[in-house]
Structures are given as structure tokens and as C-alpha cells.
Amino acid sequence: MPLKRYPTVLSCCLCVSFVLPIAAANDSANWTQWRGPNQNGIAQASGLVNDVKWSGGSGSNIRWKNPQAGGISTPVIFNERLYTIVRDQPGTPKDAEKVICLDANTGEQLWENVYNVFLSDVPAERIGWSNVACDPDTGNVYALGACCLLQSMNGQTGQTLWSRSLSEEFGMLSTYGGRTNTPVVFEDLVIISGVTTGWDETARPAHRFLAFDKATGVLAWITSTRPLPEDTTYSTPIITTINGQDVMIAGAGDGFLYGMQPRTGKVLWSQPISRRGINTSAVVDDNGQVYTAHGEENPTGTAMGAVVRIDATRASLDSASAEVWRTPELTVGKSSPLLVDGRLYVVEDSSHLHVLDAETGNEIGDGLKLGTSMRGSLIYADGKIYACTATGYFYILKPTEDGIESVYKSRLPRGHEVGGSLAVSKGRLYLPTTEGLYCLASEQAEDTASGENAIASTLDAQPRPAVTDTTISHLQLIPAEAIAVPGAALPLRLVAYNAIGQRLETPANATFEVSGDGRVDADQNFLASSEVAGHTAAVVTARIGDRVATSRLRVVPPLPWQFDFSDNEVPMTWIGARYRHEPRKIDGDPALVKITTIPKGTRSQSWMGPTDMHDYTVTADVKAAVASKLPDIGLIAQRYTLDLMGTNQQLQIRTWPAQNRMARSVSFAWKADTWYSIKFQATNEEGQLVLRGKVWPRGTEEPDTWTLTATDPAPNTQGSPGLFGNATNAEIFIDNVTVAANRPAASERDDR
């Protein structure tokens, strides 16, 4: 089969793929999510390998190895196709990230979907931190890129069906730590989370969960946790049934474990687990007991790390703590717990494995020291536990009466590091390493969907509850957030749920109210007023009896835009701006000030409009406050930054600052307490992207020549305009921001 390569479609569309009937997800042939189809690290399989000779050759049990598929992401397998995230063309001007599809039987690559990393501090070594998720109903796959680009792809062809740029649209952070979350598919939703800095009331940073319609990419709901979290995290949610109710359980950046309704986003309960973010995923037994772990400071005391049991059957927002037991001083911060036969297997970050009694939390035996560090999570299959440390020690372990024993140990070749976890399909183990992806299987390996070692999952034991309560307790107005364009219809959809989050038939007697500029027509379309010239907001409220639902809309007109801040407000519709900026009079005129006192927010970006914009010019007047060091001040156009660098006294154009894949700089001397005009233009010209920037003292004649020009061999062809600033050293003053469609470039001279 020829290799298929698809560029990213950077817009939300309403297309869906046609696929043939799909096999059931929770069998031994498929590993559709990071911890398997049942989200618990347990595989219904037998006949797995008992040893591996990493040098290869006859009897090595290495079915195949694909060096190009190496990385830190955990693969998923569906219908004999394997999906994972890797780096593309490393160290070249086209350095990027991609989702690849391999034939799970042979390791042959079938297609790749390549997309740029943009406006992100993530280093190249952290590419592929997230994992692909498969949808068993359609065969489509979902992936969150390192720069928070969420995509839906056709699992057969790799074609992008829709995408959402969560940084530009919701202010999701993509940090140097590289911690990005893994999507979870549930019914008609794909759910993702991260720390975001949105607009208006959501501008204050919080770890937020977002649920998108898996077919269209439309936002169904968004739920915030406590504001100002300490960390970005990567705790993948699990979905189970507790007390007859479907519950999504996930750790968050604020150190709490949350139980939520997966269809509505309603928070059912929260439990304090850590003072910092939780990175591991929880496991749950058939009695509603939830087990989680962390490697940071505990809510009280000075001990680092703990394993915690929560009784979710009695947890609620109104009740006392549902914590049953806590074993402190176990720093299980990266590897998620494994629950098998009433025992909890946990591995500390230092790679010490402990066996705990799930009922009491007491340790059974002395455990095992596996190596020096551990990132991946354990899996259980064929009556054994499989593990691989970060430095490449591969183990096959067997539970014993007094704990656990090692029945096989080997070392991967030098240079092979392991950041992901093992996956299982058809009697095969798939092991991701930084030097390649291995398929491990004996010659007799075959699909064994049932057998003496098969283990029933929580979801199998507790099927979806039947709908018995038809009373409407919750309404959901979709989209929960969106951009509305004056004169264009934005379809709205109202959905009803009962008290436990089960979907009901929605009555036709809903009424709609609009706060802001716009109205809802008889067909339930929102129509923003075509007379509105500036950026405004509208809140649509739907009512059925005493139940209400709201949708928050940013009303953004076509270009040109102009912001002089004469209303003494930070523009409500700007993403990531209100919390980090404040209006103030500077030199007697209203302006914006990027302040220095925001924790973890002095270096940040903000965005003004839709992500499908292209071929435009952004201008602003900027000034740095007097301080011992100058700040960095910049503009964003089409996913590139023009940065007036203070300490370096340079003007730079770049797109991926941590990697400098495309970065060009020129010397430019400037000083504090002086206004400058800065201009940044992005133009798609004859198959390539041309970026032009200039800076000059405000009030003087604009120079004809561009100060700096750059081209990109792997261009970002669209993206929202915005602002960049690093106010760590000094406040930044901003005035007279404009965005306009480009005029023909022939009238302007550049320095190429």
C-alpha cells in the first residue's frame, strides 16, 4: 500500500467518514486507548512472550521493529492497525510532529499526518507526550499535538476530518515541560483537558475539561476546576459506572481528583490528593473504590507522594471526605496504578515496585527495585505483569502469595529509553522506545479473546444503566462556546439530561434570550447583528421551565480591526488577555499594560480571532517601562511571532521558540520609556509563506524597507492574530492595535 501523507486541515468542518462495520472494542484484538479498551491496563490475552532476545535472530520473539516509529507515545491498535505520535524530519527546517499508522502485523507504515508545532515552548524531546485514542464506532482516531492542536482523523486514510487549535481558541498552555493530555472517546464525545486561559470570565487560568462532538468538533461542554493550578498535568480520565451513574474520573492540575458526568461535564465530587498536579490515571474496582497516586507534596504534612483510596460511592460535593486510606511517602508520580485480584501494584518514580492490599493499603512483601526511573505504566495479561523502566529494563513479573517475583529480566540495547507504556493485541506486545517501536510475539501468538486468563472489565460487569428517570434536570446548549460572525447564522442545539446525566428527548417548547448583540431565530440559529463594528460578546440562554443552559459567544467582525482601548477595557473577546493585562492611562492616553505581578503568566500569548485567518498585517504601538532589564514585546500573525527582544537587542521572527525550527533575527537597538510602532505581515505567495516585520519610533515616518523578512519551507498557512510579551523584567505598554487584510505587496520593498 502506498504511503499517504496528509497536511492538517486547520478548521472545523462537518464531514464524517464512511466506514465498514467495526469489531467490538473490548476484546483481545484491540487496544483502543492508552491503558487498553477498559482503561485499566488489563488485557484479555494469553500466549504472550516469556522472553526476548533484543539482538534479534531466530527465537528472539521480536516479530518486527520499526525505527521510524520510535518515540515516547504509547501506541494504540484497532482492526490490525497501530497508531502513534512521533517526530517528523528531526533537526531539519521541516521538523514537525505527526500521527502515523502502521500495519500491526508487519510494522509497515500505511499513512502519516504531519502537522507543525507552533507557538509552543515544548522541546523536541517531548514530542509525542500525548497518545492517540481510537473510536470503535467509526474507526476514526483522535490526537492532541504538542502545541495543543486537537485533530480527528480518518483511521483508514489519515485524512484530517476536523481540528481545533486549543491554544488559539481556548488559551490552552503548551509548556516547556511538554505535559499534554490524551483524548478519551465516550459515546458521541471526545474529551480532552489542560490548563487554559480563556476570555472574559474564563481568563483566569484553570485546568479545564472540554468535550467536543466527535463527528463535527463542535464544543459540547467545558468545565473548570479550581483556578490558578500549580501545574499542567497528563492524567488521562477513566469512565466507569458508580451507583448506577456513568462517571468520568480524572486528576487535575490543582491536585484534586474529580468525578464528573461525562455527557454534561457536571462535577459530582472532588477530593484533595496533592498540593500540586496529578499526572497518573486512576483505577476503579467493581464496588466504586477508586485508587490514585501522586509524587508531590500531600495536602497536609511534609511527606512526598502517596497512594490513595477513595470511596466514590459516598463521595459528593456536600459530604465529608470520602478518602478511605492513604499510604504516604510512596512517590508514584508518573506510572499509574494497576489493580488485579484485590492487590494494587504501584511503581515509584525511582522504579521501586510496591504491592498493596487494596482493602487496607498495607504493603504485601518487599516489592522489587526495577531500575533507576519509571515513566510507563504496568500492564497485566496472561497471568503476568509486564513492565519496562525508563532506562530499558524489560520485566515479566508474576504475582505471588507474599507479593511479586521476577520471572524474566533483560536490558534493551544501549540508547533505548522508554517513556510510554506497553500495548497488547492478538497475543502481541508493542513496546515504544526512543530508538524504535517493537512488536514482541512468539511464533504461536494468536488472538485469544477468551480463556482462563481473561479478566472481565468494570465496564463489562456494569453495562450502561437503563434510563428510568425522564425528568429534565440539566440542559446543554451546543456549542458551549464559539465565534459568531455578524450576518452569518450559527446553529444552536439544545439537549436535555436527567439527574444522573442520561440523555432525554428534548421538548420543543424551549425559549431563548440573548444578552448582547444578536438574536436567535425560529430555526435556533444565532444571528449576530451586522451593524456591530467592534469585537463584542453575547450570551444565549435557553429555558425549559426552570432549567436553563447558556452558550458564550465571541462576536468577531471581518477585517479590518482597530483597538485604541478608549473604553478603558481589556477586550473581552481576546483569548488569554484579561488576566494578564490591565487598562491604564499611559502618557495621558488609554492603553493596555501587561503586568509583572501575575504568577507564571508574565511570559504569555493572547489571540484575537478565528484560526482560519490568513494574509493579514498586525500593527501596534509598544513601550517598555524603565527597569533594570528590558522585556520582550511581540506580535503574532499566522502562528508566527515577531519579537522585539529586550536583552538580546534583536528583532526575531519564529514559530517554535524551543526548537528554533524557523527563526531569523537581525540586530535592533531599542530602549525603555520610548514608544515604538511595530508591524508584522504574513503573506502566502506562490506556494510559500513570506513574513515581514518592521519597527520604528512612533511619530516618525514609517520606513519603506522591512526591517526583517523570513520564509518558511514548512509554512503555517493560517492562524489567529495576537500579541506576545515577556513582562518578567518590566511592564509592557500597548496601544493602537490594528489588524488588516494585506494589500498587494508590490508597493512595499523588502530586504530579501
Side-chain angles (χ1 to χ4, degrees):
M1 182 179 294
L3 179 67
K4 297 181 180 180
R5 176 185 176 113
Y6 287 96
T8 300
V9 178
L10 297 173
S11 61
C12 177
C13 63
L14 299 180
C15 54
V16 296
S17 62
F18 174 79
V19 295
L20 296 175
I22 298 299
N26 53 343
D27 58 32
S28 69
N30 296 308
W31 192 264
T32 53
Q33 302 177 77
W34 166 61
R35 298 209 75 192
N38 301 311
Q39 301 181 294
N40 57 8
I42 295 176
Q44 298 183 24
S46 62
L48 302 184
V49 296
N50 293 315
D51 59 73
V52 182
K53 297 177 182 177
W54 300 104
S55 57
S58 177
S60 67
N61 284 335
I62 298 177
R63 180 68 58 91
W64 54 258
K65 177 190 176 185
N66 187 325
Q68 284 69 48
I72 60 176
S73 185
T74 298
V76 295
I77 301 98
F78 185 70
N79 277 4
E80 301 186 353
R81 289 184 170 224
L82 179 149
Y83 306 92
T84 191
I85 305 173
V86 297
R87 191 175 169 191
D88 183 61
Q89 302 188 57
T92 74
K94 294 185 177 181
D95 203 339
E97 188 175 37
K98 62 184 177 183
V99 173
I100 60 173
C101 173
L102 308 183
D103 184 313
N105 299 313
T106 66
E108 175 192 4
Q109 184 167 316
L110 304 178
W111 57 254
E112 61 183 11
N113 185 311
V114 182
Y115 46 94
N116 281 344
V117 180
F118 53 85
L119 305 181
S120 172
D121 290 331
V122 63
E125 295 74 21
R126 302 295 177 92
I127 291 296
W129 192 293
S130 181
N131 311 292
V132 177
C134 294
D135 176 21
D137 294 335
T138 64
N140 294 337
V141 296
Y142 300 86
L144 180 70
C147 59
C148 300
L149 180 69
L150 178 65
Q151 294 189 83
S152 168
M153 304 174 196
N154 183 301
Q156 293 293 311
T157 67
Q159 182 179 11
T160 297
L161 303 175
W162 55 259
S163 68
R164 301 296 300 258
S165 179
L166 304 186
S167 58
E168 297 170 280
E169 298 184 68
F170 301 96
M172 186 172 286
L173 303 184
S174 177
T175 66
Y176 189 81
R179 294 182 291 268
T180 45
N181 282 269
T182 296
V184 172
V185 179
F186 177 73
E187 296 182 345
D188 61 348
L189 300 174
V190 55
I191 302 169
I192 192 68
S193 75
V195 176
T196 72
T197 56
W199 60 280
D200 194 22
E201 64 191 45
T202 62
R204 203 175 184 201
H207 190 130
R208 295 185 171 96
F209 293 83
L210 302 94
F212 297 92
D213 185 299
K214 70 181 184 183
T216 66
V218 173
L219 182 68
W221 58 257
I222 180 170
T223 295
S224 297
T225 63
R226 297 187 310 157
L228 305 181
E230 285 293 331
D231 300 294
T232 55
T233 60
Y234 53 96
S235 173
T236 303
I238 64 167
I239 298 175
T240 186
T241 302
I242 298 174
N243 292 342
Q245 178 172 203
D246 293 321
V247 181
M248 182 178 77
I249 300 171
D254 62 0
F256 276 58
L257 188 72
Y258 286 86
M260 307 167 63
Q261 290 181 347
R263 298 181 190 90
T264 69
K266 178 183 177 181
V267 176
L268 302 171
W269 51 263
S270 64
Q271 288 288 143
I273 304 298
S274 169
R275 293 186 194 179
R276 301 184 65 91
I278 301 171
N279 290 314
T280 61
S281 293
V283 289
V284 59
D285 67 17
D286 292 337
N287 298 313
Q289 303 303 299
V290 178
Y291 304 88
T292 188
H294 74 95
E296 303 291 344
E297 293 176 287
N298 285 283
T300 60
T302 59
M304 295 291 291
V307 180
V308 185
R309 173 183 163 187
I310 303 296
D311 183 358
T313 65
R314 59 182 177 87
S316 75
L317 293 176
D318 300 322
S319 66
S321 172
E323 183 175 308
V324 178
W325 54 253
R326 177 182 294 257
T327 61
E329 298 184 339
L330 293 181
T331 54
V332 184
K334 299 179 176 66
S335 181
S336 295
L338 175 69
L339 179 64
V340 178
D341 294 334
R343 292 183 176 184
L344 201 63
Y345 299 86
V346 296
V347 185
E348 295 190 82
D349 299 348
S350 63
S351 82
H352 193 120
L353 187 153
H354 300 268
V355 184
L356 306 181
D357 184 294
E359 182 65 27
T360 65
N362 296 331
E363 186 158 7
I364 301 172
D366 297 326
L368 286 174
K369 179 67 172 173
L370 303 179
T372 57
S373 63
M374 189 77 175
R375 299 191 186 100
S377 296
L378 306 173
I379 66 166
Y380 179 83
D382 200 14
K384 298 180 286 291
I385 293 174
Y386 292 82
C388 195
T389 69
T391 52
Y393 285 103
F394 176 81
Y395 283 89
I396 302 175
L397 309 167
K398 194 173 184 69
T400 64
E401 184 177 348
D402 58 354
I404 195 165
E405 66 177 357
S406 173
V407 296
Y408 178 76
K409 173 185 177 182
S410 62
R411 179 76 182 269
L412 272 70
R414 185 179 298 274
H416 287 61
E417 297 182 359
V418 178
S421 303
L422 287 151
V424 183
S425 174
K426 287 193 170 183
R428 301 170 187 151
L429 290 171
Y430 295 88
L431 174 64
T433 81
T434 53
E435 297 299 313
L437 178 64
Y438 287 91
C439 174
L440 309 177
S442 63
E443 293 182 0
Q444 295 78 28
E446 60 181 354
D447 184 11
T448 51
S450 61
E452 62 181 4
N453 294 315
I455 294 180
S457 72
T458 299
L459 295 182
D460 288 336
Q462 298 178 335
R464 301 271 82 80
V467 177
T468 58
D469 178 8
T470 58
T471 302
I472 296 175
S473 295
H474 179 84
L475 291 178
Q476 187 178 79
L477 189 57
I478 303 172
E481 289 189 12
I483 288 180
V485 178
L490 177 67
L492 301 174
R493 182 163 60 97
L494 189 63
V495 185
Y497 298 90
N498 63 17
I500 63 171
Q502 295 173 312
R503 186 167 176 173
L504 305 174
E505 182 177 349
T506 305
N509 61 339
T511 60
F512 293 87
E513 303 170 2
V514 176
S515 173
D517 296 303
R519 61 184 178 87
V520 176
D521 66 14
D523 296 322
Q524 290 190 11
N525 296 308
F526 175 78
L527 300 171
S529 173
S530 58
E531 299 177 357
V532 176
H535 290 222
T536 63
V539 176
V540 180
T541 301
R543 298 180 185 274
I544 297 178
D546 59 353
R547 303 302 179 189
V548 299
T550 60
S551 177
R552 302 170 66 241
L553 306 175
R554 294 190 289 153
V555 180
V556 179
L559 297 179
W561 304 336
Q562 183 172 358
F563 305 92
D564 61 11
F565 314 113
S566 58
D567 59 356
N568 294 310
E569 293 282 347
V570 179
M572 179 187 298
T573 58
W574 286 11
I575 298 293
R578 280 212 158 185
Y579 177 68
R580 295 157 172 165
H581 299 74
E582 64 181 32
R584 196 188 302 168
K585 283 197 173 181
I586 305 298
D587 300 330
D589 293 321
L592 285 192
V593 180
K594 183 168 175 54
I595 56 180
T596 62
T597 56
I598 296 297
K600 303 180 182 180
T602 55
R603 185 180 186 276
S604 63
Q605 303 166 119
S606 59
W607 292 273
M608 306 174 191
T611 61
D612 60 355
M613 296 176 62
H614 58 88
D615 294 278
Y616 56 82
T617 302
V618 188
T619 63
D621 294 335
V622 297
K623 185 173 81 165
V626 175
S628 58
K629 292 182 180 180
L630 286 171
D632 297 335
I633 309 173
L635 303 177
I636 295 172
Q638 216 161 293
R639 296 174 177 166
Y640 297 85
T641 301
L642 177 68
D643 186 2
L644 188 60
M645 305 172 78
T647 301
N648 294 338
Q649 291 288 279
Q650 289 182 334
L651 186 68
Q652 182 181 79
I653 294 175
R654 61 173 183 266
T655 183
W656 183 5
Q659 188 63 16
N660 280 343
R661 174 187 71 78
M662 192 294 297
R664 185 174 177 188
S665 307
V666 295
S667 297
F668 189 87
W670 63 287
K671 57 187 179 180
D673 202 30
T674 300
W675 282 101
Y676 295 89
S677 295
I678 183 169
K679 187 174 187 178
F680 191 25
Q681 182 183 90
T683 308
N684 296 291
E685 296 183 7
E686 299 178 354
Q688 71 172 344
L689 180 69
V690 181
L691 300 152
R692 302 177 174 94
K694 64 174 71 172
V695 184
W696 67 97
R698 186 173 76 169
T700 65
E701 185 175 355
E702 177 182 343
D704 292 332
T705 303
W706 293 94
T707 311
L708 176 62
T709 299
T711 59
D712 187 356
N716 302 311
T717 58
Q718 58 190 32
S720 171
L723 303 177
F724 166 80
N726 185 352
T728 302
N729 298 322
E731 288 187 331
I732 297 170
F733 309 131
I734 306 161
D735 199 5
N736 299 318
V737 176
T738 68
V739 184
N742 292 342
R743 293 178 295 176
S747 62
E748 304 219 38
R749 209 158 33 89
D750 61 53
D751 62 350
R752 284 181 294 166

